[in-house]
Amino acid sequence: MALVLQYLNDMHEYMERYGDPRTNPWFLMSSPLPTLLICLSYVYLVKVIGPWYMQNRKPYDLTNLLIAYNFLQVIFSAWLFYEIGAAGWFTGRYNFHCQPVDHSKHPQTMRMVHACWWYYFSKFTEFFDTFFFILRKKFDHVSTLHVIHHGVMPMSVWFGVKFTPGGHSTFFGLLNTFVHIIMYSYYMLSAMGPHMRKYLWWKKYLTTLQMVQFVGIMVHAFQLLFIECNYPRAFVWWIGMHAVMFFFLFKEFYNQQYRKPKVRARSPQPEITEIPEMAYKNVSLKNGYTNGHANGAYVRARTVLPAGN
């Protein structure tokens, strides 16, 4: 027990010494433990408590709640996108090749620091995507990758707000919030019902946009490995590798969802052929599974007998 207390004390001293003094006193910023506890509670809730609670209950009809939630997420994402841009990227103050963290208390700089903090909280609001899956008994959408993505992101962003609130890494937030504006707009329309399906033909391009986002983040982050810039290399690798991982997850999803499988040529003898049939399913796509979720269709095999039988 004494070793645990000593470890916690040493960690607290490290955070106080090397953490950004502007964000140290802010809510949830003094220690990583509250954020870690929230993330672990989220995982336990959606993998254990949620399925147990819903096992003998009918799925909830959350149509109106989903519409309202996705609308608020669109507004929140649009505000974050504007704030991150207006605090740096849209003003000419930020350099796309190298942008060190400004540790001053200049009003424009503090605007970016606050935007980073609110972006951190946006990762908690995204937990509700999973909660709604559970309440609608869409357990197949609560995959391990989905849960890991949502469970890890608040902790990842916490380190950015704690040590580097501003600078080069905020480009990630700029692109991510822009994609979320479009993504949650899609979810909102999808939640309105089947009559909106004819307006959702662009879901394929939403997936493409998400992959382009990760390529942009990769290029923007990894360029600092080849040029001199007063920005921590650890965060360059952290952000870049996140983008690499999510790009390949989205690419795999894209291949499964939109690339038509090749049908084998018929042999002279009668045989049974499996032909994939796409059936629409009104669910979400988030950052890949979440920021990547499962998307609005799934594959169901149908047995087809040879012609003439």
Side-chain angles (χ1 to χ4, degrees):
M1 185 63 180
L3 288 176
V4 173
L5 293 176
Q6 181 62 43
Y7 173 77
L8 292 176
N9 183 65
D10 292 344
M11 181 179 66
H12 180 73
E13 290 183 358
Y14 180 87
M15 295 297 171
E16 287 296 318
R17 179 180 302 176
Y18 296 104
D20 192 296
R22 297 168 300 180
T23 61
N24 272 343
W26 292 2
F27 182 57
L28 295 180
M29 285 291 108
S30 62
S31 168
L33 295 181
T35 301
L36 179 61
L37 181 60
I38 293 172
C39 291
L40 293 176
S41 299
Y42 158 79
V43 173
Y44 187 71
L45 182 63
V46 301
K47 297 300 287 186
V48 179
I49 296 179
W52 169 80
Y53 175 78
M54 291 299 300
Q55 63 181 346
N56 296 319
R57 289 177 169 82
K58 293 182 179 180
Y60 288 94
D61 181 3
L62 304 177
T63 300
N64 292 332
L65 180 58
L66 286 171
I67 294 172
Y69 164 75
N70 288 308
F71 175 75
L72 291 175
Q73 286 289 74
V74 170
I75 299 301
F76 191 21
S77 299
W79 178 75
L80 285 171
F81 175 75
Y82 174 77
E83 285 297 300
I84 295 172
W89 295 104
F90 298 159
T91 64
R93 297 178 66 245
Y94 268 44
N95 189 314
F96 284 92
H97 294 293
C98 169
Q99 183 57 48
V101 179
D102 182 356
H103 294 284
S104 73
K105 290 190 176 182
H106 186 278
Q108 199 78 350
T109 300
M110 290 305 299
R111 185 176 184 178
M112 179 65 83
V113 175
H114 279 93
C116 292
W117 189 54
W118 281 109
Y119 179 72
Y120 158 73
F121 281 107
S122 76
K123 298 301 142 186
F124 290 123
T125 65
E126 292 170 12
F127 284 177
F128 285 93
D129 293 342
T130 319
F131 297 157
F132 294 146
F133 281 150
I134 297 294
L135 293 175
R136 296 163 64 207
K137 300 191 80 166
K138 306 289 186 180
F139 300 133
D140 54 324
H141 304 320
V142 188
S143 65
T144 300
L145 288 176
H146 171 94
V147 174
I148 289 175
H149 168 68
H150 285 285
V152 165
M153 284 306 296
M155 198 74 255
S156 297
V157 178
W158 182 90
F159 283 101
V161 180
K162 180 69 174 180
F163 297 103
T164 59
H168 203 77
S169 62
T170 57
F171 185 73
F172 179 102
L174 183 74
L175 290 186
N176 190 236
T177 51
F178 173 74
V179 171
H180 278 196
I181 295 169
I182 300 173
M183 185 181 70
Y184 279 110
S185 297
Y186 175 89
Y187 298 161
M188 182 176 64
L189 293 173
S190 178
M192 291 178 180
H195 67 282
M196 298 299 296
R197 190 181 309 172
K198 59 184 177 181
Y199 303 112
L200 302 177
W201 52 267
W202 46 277
K203 61 188 173 79
K204 173 180 178 179
Y205 303 101
L206 175 57
T207 307
T208 303
L209 177 63
Q210 289 174 314
M211 289 192 292
V212 171
Q213 167 198 200
F214 294 125
V215 171
I217 293 168
M218 273 187 274
V219 173
H220 184 257
F222 285 145
Q223 67 176 319
L224 296 193
L225 299 178
F226 306 99
I227 63 176
E228 290 296 325
C229 184
N230 185 23
Y231 189 83
R233 287 289 180 92
F235 282 94
V236 171
W237 281 107
W238 186 252
I239 294 169
M241 293 311 297
H242 266 68
V244 170
M245 178 179 68
F246 291 134
F247 172 80
F248 283 106
L249 288 173
F250 271 92
K251 185 176 184 298
E252 181 181 357
F253 168 80
Y254 184 93
N255 290 339
Q256 292 176 351
Q257 205 73 307
Y258 305 115
R259 296 280 177 86
K260 294 182 179 179
K262 296 180 180 179
V263 181
R264 293 179 302 171
R266 293 184 184 275
S267 63
Q269 299 297 325
E271 65 176 18
I272 296 177
T273 304
E274 296 293 329
I275 299 179
E277 177 187 22
M278 304 306 294
Y280 180 85
K281 193 173 186 179
N282 183 21
V283 298
S284 304
L285 164 73
K286 190 156 177 326
N287 270 327
Y289 14 57
T290 264
N291 154 138
H293 300 128
N295 198 2
Y298 70 96
V299 178
R300 181 176 61 192
R302 179 179 63 183
T303 303
V304 180
L305 296 177
N309 286 342

